[in-house]
Amino acid sequence: MDLSRLVALNAAYARAIDNERYEEWPDFFLESCLYKVTTAENVAKGLEAGLIYADSRAMLQDRISALRQANIYERQRYRHIVGLPTILDARDGAADVETPFLIVRIMRDGRMEVFATGCYRDKVRTNGDGTLRFSERIVVCDGSRFDTLVAIPF
């Protein structure tokens, strides 16, 4: 697996979220996928539950639909700082990858704060046209407290 393609995938992913182009977010995943947001504490204890769980691209699309049409929350946006991915295993066009992240939340009034830090634990594959997509993205947050509705994808 080419490291530069993984960097480009993560950069495009973060850019779509940071620019509030949420409708593009599900397209970074294969049709059959797993997306979960959890905490390092849960992972250490072997607890499978997460703050967010979706096991298909359709569920991710539903999440964005709810974000745009149903959820009511204080206007905010994110800025991702994504580190370099580490390839843990690669074979047959797929890779297990871990990438650190930091997310700054910018509120409507301009206040900024560190919202989350952690790492993405990904399984990445090529789809039919050779584009890299996530078959699994587990967002492991270092902290275990979130002070507001977790509405926007990580």
Side-chain angles (χ1 to χ4, degrees), residues 31-119:
E31 284 290 332
S32 177
C33 63
L34 174 64
Y35 175 80
K36 183 167 70 171
V37 177
T38 187
T39 65
E41 182 179 353
N42 278 357
V43 171
K45 292 180 178 177
L47 302 174
E48 291 295 319
L51 299 166
I52 300 172
Y53 181 92
D55 63 3
S56 70
R57 187 189 300 160
M59 288 181 73
L60 300 176
Q61 291 165 333
D62 283 348
R63 181 163 187 82
I64 296 306
S65 178
L67 173 69
R68 292 290 198 197
Q69 298 172 17
N71 293 348
I72 298 172
Y73 60 98
E74 184 176 359
R75 182 160 166 68
Q76 57 190 269
R77 61 186 177 86
Y78 292 162
R79 176 68 60 200
H80 285 74
I81 307 297
V82 181
L84 291 174
T86 299
I87 300 171
L88 305 173
D89 188 28
R91 64 184 110 135
D92 302 327
D96 293 345
V97 182
E98 187 172 294
T99 307
F101 69 85
L102 179 147
I103 301 171
V104 175
R105 183 173 63 179
I106 303 100
M107 303 305 291
R108 173 180 58 160
D109 64 4
R111 264 181 308 125
M112 294 183 286
E113 61 188 28
V114 173
F115 180 67
T117 62
C119 67

